[in-house]
Amino acid sequence: MTKRTVYALVLSLLAAVASAQDYPIVPVPFTSVAINGGFWQSRLATNRTVTIPFDFRKCEETGRIANFAVAGGLAKGTFKGKRYDDSDVFKVVEGASYSLQTHYDPKLDHYLDSLITLFAAAQEPDGYLYTIRSILKDSANIKDDQAGPTRFSYVAGSHELYNVGHMYEAAVAHFQATGKRSFLNVALKNADYLMRTIGPDKLIVVPGHQEIEIGLVKLYRVTKDKRYLDFARFLLDMRGRADKRPLFPDPAKTGQGASYLQDHIPVTQQKTAVGHSVRAGYMYAAMSDIAAIQNDKAYMDALLAIWNDVVERKQYLTGGLGARGHGEAFGEAYELPNDVAYAETCAAVANMLWNHRMFLLTGDAKYMDVFERVLYNGFLAGVSLEGDSFFYVNPLASDGKRKFNVGQAATRAPWFGTSCCPTNVVRFLPSLPGYVYATKGNDVFINLFLTNQSTVSVNGKPVQIRQETNYPWDGKVSVTVQPKQPQAFTMQLRLPGWASGKPMPGYLYEYVNTTAKAPVLLVNGKSVSYETENGYARVSRTWRPGDRLEWTLDMPVREVKANEQVTDDRHKVAIERGPVVYCAEGVDNGGQALSLVVPAGTAFRPQMQPDKLGGILSLSAQEAGKNVTLIPYYAWSHRGPNEMSVWFGQVKPTK
């Protein structure tokens, strides 16, 4: 282990200790969890070796990186792209910094140093950093790009604060990866400038696109400076407060309205999910941080109400959020169209960030059930198996002709004019190991089932845990526990909703047959009884080195029906197995998927196909003399544009 790796591990452990002061449950840092096999190893390797360099190359080719050099006077030229393009570069740096912590690469380390030199040069003397304004000044061109005629004059659309929020997250990740303060100092200088400019008795604004709030909390955690936390709270509390601030600018003049920006009423009064789904998800994640750190009941009550609204009325079976392309927004209750579903990949990331925080607040497995559904379906579909093409939009049906992917293609595209999704994928994947385990006192939570080797601190004592599984294709999970000496603690294994007869919390979706076989739990080969609490199977005992726990979850093929109020899914059925949602593609079904009918009780046969689509478990059945083949939803659109459907017409079986 190199000195850099040791240093990064120490910083990550310190960060975990700091988080124990707010969230009652502490996530095990991703640097302590090595994914060393199974379903996710190759995907994380692809992200490291393909997607990170690919995204950096695209940022170079499109002028996103050059903008910093031009803004800093290190190169000649003009601004290229959109006002929010700075954020894409920061997100890729964040993902690369995570990668450095687990797979040190001196070439990548040096490249990041060169980028940080550009960031520092682009930063104006007072701390302001926004390349479009530094290059174009207060000109007609900058107004045309909705950046506003002067600083902070159009925060509803300018992305000035959104961009630097991603910078803060990236700077903290880089500091934790390398111990260098070069990027962190740029971020702190910017945050300090903002706090001198914006606040009570100063300029009062709220960001049009939430994100800075999450970044400020991360600055607070790494510096222990409460000013950053207070500033994050201020920005949240000013939303919807026309009594305390002018409408700046008037949302009616933005073409979207205050609800689009979640600025229609104060955040503690919001009970339903409205507006732009990515902005909302980031805001809910930040509110969760505040609720935890400040033990704020009003924030928590609002979050619980909004979450219930989402899972009961506004979430796709794949975990996707955002029914409408216009405004990339939530629709009304039960408005969940399939072919024009937006379900942005960025919204999937925001949804996972929010649900993980809700778990850390409550210890309830239902939040990790939603996280897992998004992970294997709505999120994973967003990136190709090769790691170099992406979905911005994730519909649940396609005719293979309409260019749904932001108007560019009927399949994945390598890049977009607005490339928030490719750069969000690249920063989320390397952090995935950090969502597997968590601890609270004497309890160890196992939230995700994937092959890994980890070190978990239980009451200050290190415990090694090795997990082996072929999940999500197989429900058998083997966990070997290695404390240094016998130690009493409780293992809490998540009992997924799908394994106990519910596809998702609430009643938006239900299985046609709710009967479920009870999970089987063995310790050292012997069946043991366990208590179930908040969706977790609790096993309390004195664990000895080499103790082996085996957790077996039954994985039948399930028919899913939607609430009757979802008119687009009425009299239809979807098919799941374990955490994976399935779809039909025309290429496997004689060119047709949209017209497929699945009679009630159709017996699908699972078949592992290691050489198909990166290795999948497909489902096949005979229907009216024809073979029907289903594949995991995440794997669709790798064989060219063609028909696809998640929901199928259903008829009663004939006698």
Side-chain angles (χ1 to χ4, degrees):
M1 184 178 289
T2 67
K3 289 183 179 179
R4 289 181 184 274
T5 304
V6 171
Y7 186 68
L9 179 58
V10 170
L11 286 171
S12 297
L13 291 174
L14 287 174
V17 171
S19 69
Q21 298 170 10
D22 44 66
Y23 281 103
I25 298 174
V26 183
V28 173
F30 72 88
T31 49
S32 298
V33 182
I35 295 179
N36 53 4
F39 183 86
W40 287 103
Q41 183 184 38
S42 63
R43 286 163 173 81
L44 268 63
T46 297
N47 189 73
R48 184 180 73 253
T49 61
V50 176
T51 316
I52 289 175
F54 177 85
D55 278 14
F56 272 135
R57 187 166 66 253
K58 285 296 184 181
C59 286
E60 292 172 351
E61 292 173 356
T62 58
R64 282 167 167 81
I65 290 174
N67 284 336
F68 290 96
V70 174
L74 302 179
K76 293 183 179 181
T78 189
F79 182 84
K80 294 181 179 179
K82 296 289 185 181
R83 61 195 179 282
Y84 38 70
D85 285 354
D86 293 359
S87 67
D88 292 332
V89 183
F90 296 142
K91 281 186 284 184
V92 187
V93 169
E94 182 184 353
S97 297
Y98 292 149
S99 180
L100 276 184
Q101 294 188 55
T102 53
H103 293 81
Y104 180 69
D105 178 346
K107 184 178 179 181
L108 179 59
D109 191 2
H110 178 72
Y111 180 69
L112 294 184
D113 286 342
S114 70
L115 292 181
I116 293 165
T117 298
L118 299 182
F119 302 157
Q123 186 168 42
E124 298 187 17
D126 60 3
Y128 185 76
L129 207 169
Y130 190 39
T131 64
I132 186 171
R133 187 176 303 284
S134 296
I135 295 171
L136 299 180
K137 310 302 180 185
D138 294 340
S139 66
N141 287 339
I142 196 167
K143 284 186 249 182
D144 290 343
D145 201 347
Q146 298 183 345
T150 58
R151 290 185 183 185
F152 312 117
S153 59
Y154 190 62
V155 290
S158 69
H159 290 73
E160 280 164 291
L161 302 182
Y162 168 80
N163 287 355
V164 298
H166 279 302
M167 178 175 69
Y168 301 165
E169 291 204 75
V172 170
H174 181 261
F175 173 65
Q176 292 178 330
T178 66
K180 303 173 187 176
R181 292 187 62 92
S182 53
F183 195 9
L184 184 62
N185 287 340
V186 173
L188 294 175
K189 183 178 180 180
N190 177 264
D192 290 346
Y193 159 72
L194 292 179
M195 290 188 296
R196 292 194 307 269
T197 307
I198 300 169
D201 303 320
K202 303 172 188 174
L203 182 62
I204 299 179
V205 299
V206 296
H209 196 313
Q210 298 90 319
E211 160 60 22
I212 187 175
E213 303 87 350
I214 294 175
L216 285 166
V217 173
K218 290 192 175 183
L219 290 183
Y220 158 72
R221 285 205 175 101
V222 81
T223 65
K224 309 300 186 294
D225 189 334
K226 190 172 178 291
R227 292 181 307 142
Y228 302 121
L229 180 67
D230 292 341
F231 189 40
R233 169 121 198 188
F234 170 79
L235 293 174
L236 289 168
D237 283 348
M238 287 301 100
R239 307 192 81 83
R241 297 304 301 265
D243 58 323
K244 290 192 174 182
R245 65 177 176 87
L247 291 175
F248 191 77
D250 184 345
K253 297 178 181 178
T254 68
Q256 296 289 352
S259 62
Y260 166 77
L261 306 173
Q262 295 81 41
D263 192 21
H264 53 304
I265 54 175
V267 295
T268 53
Q269 296 176 24
Q270 296 187 29
K271 305 300 180 185
T272 58
V274 297
H276 191 284
S277 56
V278 182
R279 300 173 195 229
Y282 285 162
M283 186 179 84
Y284 305 150
M287 288 176 63
S288 301
D289 287 340
I290 298 297
I293 295 169
Q294 299 186 342
N295 192 27
D296 193 292
K297 184 177 184 300
Y299 266 50
M300 190 63 191
D301 288 347
L303 288 166
L304 291 171
I306 295 167
W307 188 86
N308 283 331
D309 180 57
V310 170
V311 299
E312 290 280 8
R313 304 173 187 89
K314 296 173 181 174
Q315 184 162 261
Y316 283 98
L317 185 64
T318 56
L321 299 183
R324 298 176 179 176
H326 178 69
E328 303 177 322
F330 291 102
E332 298 295 330
Y334 307 108
E335 181 187 339
L336 293 165
N338 293 312
D339 57 341
V340 294
Y342 207 70
E344 186 180 335
T345 299
C346 282
V349 172
N351 201 13
M352 288 188 288
L353 296 178
W354 176 31
N355 273 277
H356 183 245
R357 284 165 165 82
M358 293 295 286
F359 156 71
L360 296 176
L361 270 168
T362 65
D364 198 315
K366 66 184 181 182
Y367 300 109
M368 292 308 297
D369 284 351
V370 173
F371 181 103
E372 181 183 69
R373 176 165 295 272
V374 179
L375 177 66
Y376 282 100
N377 302 289
F379 167 75
L380 192 54
V383 58
S384 68
L385 297 170
E386 297 79 14
D388 58 1
S389 61
F390 309 88
F391 279 143
Y392 195 112
V393 182
N394 293 274
L396 279 71
S398 173
D399 63 5
K401 300 174 183 177
R402 186 177 72 88
K403 295 181 179 180
F404 63 85
N405 204 14
V406 195
Q408 292 187 207
T411 184
R412 290 178 184 83
W415 200 248
F416 308 94
T418 299
S419 273
C420 51
C421 295
T423 53
N424 237 342
V425 166
V426 88
R427 77 180 181 123
F428 178 81
L429 275 171
S431 71
L432 176 62
Y435 299 96
V436 180
Y437 302 103
T439 62
K440 181 182 181 181
N442 223 33
D443 290 1
V444 177
F445 296 86
I446 300 182
N447 281 319
L448 299 178
F449 307 119
L450 42 85
T451 298
N452 71 86
Q453 178 78 36
S454 63
T455 301
V456 176
S457 178
V458 184
N459 283 328
K461 298 178 181 179
V463 176
Q464 290 188 349
I465 297 177
R466 186 175 74 249
Q467 196 181 145
E468 298 170 289
T469 182
N470 194 32
Y471 197 91
W473 312 130
D474 192 312
K476 296 179 181 179
V477 182
S478 173
V479 180
T480 303
V481 183
Q482 291 281 1
K484 286 190 174 181
Q485 56 189 20
Q487 184 176 348
F489 57 90
T490 299
M491 296 288 286
Q492 296 219 44
L493 295 99
R494 184 171 62 89
L495 175 55
W498 60 258
S500 54
K502 285 184 70 68
M504 255 179 27
Y507 298 95
L508 184 56
Y509 303 103
E510 295 182 275
Y511 289 133
V512 173
N513 181 358
T514 59
T515 303
K517 290 184 180 179
V520 176
L521 182 61
L522 306 177
V523 175
N524 297 329
K526 296 181 179 179
S527 178
V528 296
S529 59
Y530 57 86
E531 299 176 353
T532 302
E533 182 179 336
N534 291 330
Y536 288 90
R538 295 172 52 89
V539 185
S540 300
R541 57 180 279 130
T542 297
W543 298 92
R544 302 179 183 280
D547 277 354
R548 184 181 177 89
L549 186 153
E550 295 171 274
W551 183 231
T552 303
L553 306 169
D554 189 35
M555 280 191 172
V557 178
R558 297 278 203 174
E559 295 179 6
V560 184
K561 62 180 180 180
N563 187 300
E564 282 293 308
Q565 296 184 74
V566 183
T567 57
D568 289 72
D569 299 337
R570 198 173 290 166
H571 308 306
K572 294 182 180 179
V573 66
I575 304 297
E576 292 185 357
R577 183 178 183 275
V580 178
V581 175
Y582 279 76
C583 71
E585 265 199 295
V587 68
D588 296 313
N589 297 280
Q592 296 182 336
L594 297 174
S595 60
L596 284 181
V597 173
V598 176
T602 297
F604 282 96
R605 179 173 61 89
Q607 181 181 359
M608 197 67 210
Q609 295 185 275
D611 298 325
K612 183 176 182 178
L613 296 170
I616 63 168
L617 187 144
S618 65
L619 303 176
S620 61
Q622 287 291 319
E623 160 54 21
K626 295 181 180 179
N627 189 55
V628 175
T629 299
L630 306 184
I631 64 170
Y633 171 77
Y634 76 77
W636 85 280
S637 200
H638 281 91
R639 295 167 290 178
N642 68 138
E643 287 192 9
M644 182 277 296
S645 185
V646 168
W647 292 93
F648 310 105
Q650 187 173 43
V651 296
K652 294 181 179 179
T654 56
K655 294 182 179 180

